[in-house]
Amino acid sequence: MASAFAPGKCILFGEHAVVYGHPAVAVAIDQGVRVSIEESPDWRLEGMPFDPSRHPHITHIIQSIFNYDGPPLALEVQSDLFSAAGMGSSAALSNAVGAALHNHLNSDEPLDNIKLARLAHSAEATAQKGRASPTDTATSALGGCVVVSGEHVEGTRHIFDTSLVTPEGKRDWSINVVDLPPGICEAWLVLGYTGEWSPTGRMVANVAKLMSEKPELSDDMEAIARITKAGLTALSAGNLEALGMAMDACHERLQRLEVSNPSLDRLVEAARPHALGAKLTGAGGGGCMVALAEDPQRVAEAIEVAGGKPLTSKLGAEGVRVV
Ligand code: MEV
């Protein structure tokens, strides 16, 4: 049996803006998705007959990317991520399926994480009707701290470039990484799940519609880009207070793009008195918020009391790997 694990991600800055070529900063988290693959008399997913139309990411990787036409496979998936919740569960699933299938077919060849990031992005784009930045997939594939941008961002190390034709035109992204300073290990991320499910494709489409109705919102996109750069400088310097302030400022701009909602705002407000900063993370409309904390237990309790489900992680876990 071939198995692989891919981490989820937490976007610290730049969600939605990155779809329009602005920078985003994301870190891999400790939680993720594990996939095991073995040959089987018929196609199975978690012991049940596999219906390709219900699993577009898995189908795209197996059929369109690997062009797999071998014997039927049985896939087992174990995830400790909330799904459709801004934690990159579909990106982690694509990466873990790609890595496990690679291992099943060519077990002596090492994993190529950049190739995996590219193929998982193509699966994500197919599932999100052509509007998907490579942020989630690259962070899950590479691990650590990833900066995705339309142009080179100072202070980052370039890894690869990628592009996609979206309904709003062709987008080019540069994928870069940043080494996190040792001081960052004093900080924790506490994610708070609202319990509300929210598909990324729909949120991205809502923002596209809002932007076409209110062109003045491009000022908020520009502001998110400035906050992202300031947040990245704070992160690279290990300046936790400035990092938290930038997260607070980013949340206010995301509210103006109408991607926050009352549950996210409630959890953000509950976490803030005990945290260095807090914001929604990922597509919004439900899903998760994230707080930067030195005392993660206290923040987790505040989130729980406010009705959320907390999950604690260090910043910058290892990327996809065979296990
Ligand atoms: C989703 O995790 C992040 C978004 O920016 C969409 C994307 O980057 O594809 C909302």
Side-chain angles (χ1 to χ4, degrees):
M1 181 179 290
S3 299
F5 176 86
K9 66 89 193 29
C10 174
I11 298 187
L12 297 177
F13 302 105
E15 49 272 271
H16 288 288
V18 69
V19 178
Y20 296 84
H22 295 302
V25 179
V27 289
I29 59 173
D30 299 336
Q31 296 77 10
V33 176
R34 183 192 168 110
V35 171
S36 305
I37 294 184
E38 63 183 348
E39 281 179 18
S40 149
D42 46 17
W43 282 91
R44 300 240 143 211
L45 178 62
E46 318 217 284
M48 305 292 286
F50 177 65
D51 174 359
S53 66
R54 291 190 53 214
H55 303 283
H57 291 84
I58 298 180
T59 307
H60 184 77
I61 300 264
I62 295 177
Q63 290 179 355
S64 313
I65 309 258
F66 279 81
N67 296 319
Y68 181 80
D69 61 359
L73 300 172
L75 285 83
E76 287 298 326
V77 178
Q78 286 165 293
S79 174
D80 44 19
L81 301 172
F82 302 117
S83 67
M87 301 176 80
S89 61
S90 56
L93 175 67
S94 298
N95 275 317
V97 170
L101 191 54
H102 168 88
N103 188 239
H104 176 71
L105 299 173
N106 331 284
S107 56
D108 345 320
E109 278 177 37
L111 269 191
D112 179 343
N113 291 31
I114 296 177
K115 197 168 152 198
L116 277 174
R118 286 185 194 281
L119 64 85
H121 180 216
S122 123
E124 194 93 316
T126 307
Q128 282 177 212
K129 300 195 171 58
R131 288 189 192 97
S133 83
T135 313
D136 296 16
T137 45
T139 308
S140 176
L142 303 175
C145 178
V146 171
V147 179
V148 175
S149 179
E151 57 195 31
H152 178 72
V153 179
E154 219 176 296
T156 63
R157 200 165 70 247
H158 178 254
I159 303 293
F160 70 98
D161 293 323
T162 189
S163 61
L164 182 73
V165 178
T166 76
E168 283 74 40
K170 182 167 176 270
R171 304 274 181 233
D172 299 300
W173 291 279
S174 154
I175 316 293
N176 309 276
V177 294
V178 170
D179 296 323
L180 294 174
I184 215 72
C185 64
E186 283 163 32
W188 297 79
L189 296 176
V190 186
L191 289 120
Y193 179 45
T194 56
E196 290 162 12
W197 181 80
S198 168
T200 301
R202 191 174 70 205
M203 294 309 296
V204 172
N206 288 353
V207 171
K209 184 164 174 284
L210 194 68
M211 295 278 294
S212 70
E213 288 163 3
K214 297 184 180 173
E216 66 276 15
L217 287 179
S218 60
D219 289 351
D220 293 285
M221 287 285 184
E222 298 288 341
I224 291 177
R226 283 195 301 276
I227 293 166
T228 301
K229 285 180 189 154
L232 181 60
T233 305
L235 181 64
S236 308
N239 183 344
L240 298 179
E241 271 186 27
L243 180 58
M245 276 164 51
M247 288 169 72
D248 287 346
C250 188
H251 185 71
E252 263 73 274
R253 295 292 175 168
L254 289 166
Q255 284 176 316
R256 289 175 53 80
L257 296 180
E258 299 182 14
V259 294
S260 193
N261 76 357
S263 311
L264 283 165
D265 289 342
R266 191 174 63 245
L267 299 188
V268 164
E269 288 308 321
R272 274 185 181 160
H274 314 286
L276 295 154
K279 63 182 276 289
L280 72 85
T281 182
C288 286
M289 48 69 69
V290 60
L292 181 73
E294 285 171 314
D295 182 352
Q297 184 62 31
R298 196 129 184 239
V299 175
E301 280 159 12
I303 288 173
E304 210 157 8
V305 168
K309 288 196 187 115
L311 204 147
T312 300
S313 171
K314 281 289 188 190
L315 285 81
E318 194 190 332
V320 64
R321 61 236 182 221
V322 166
V323 289

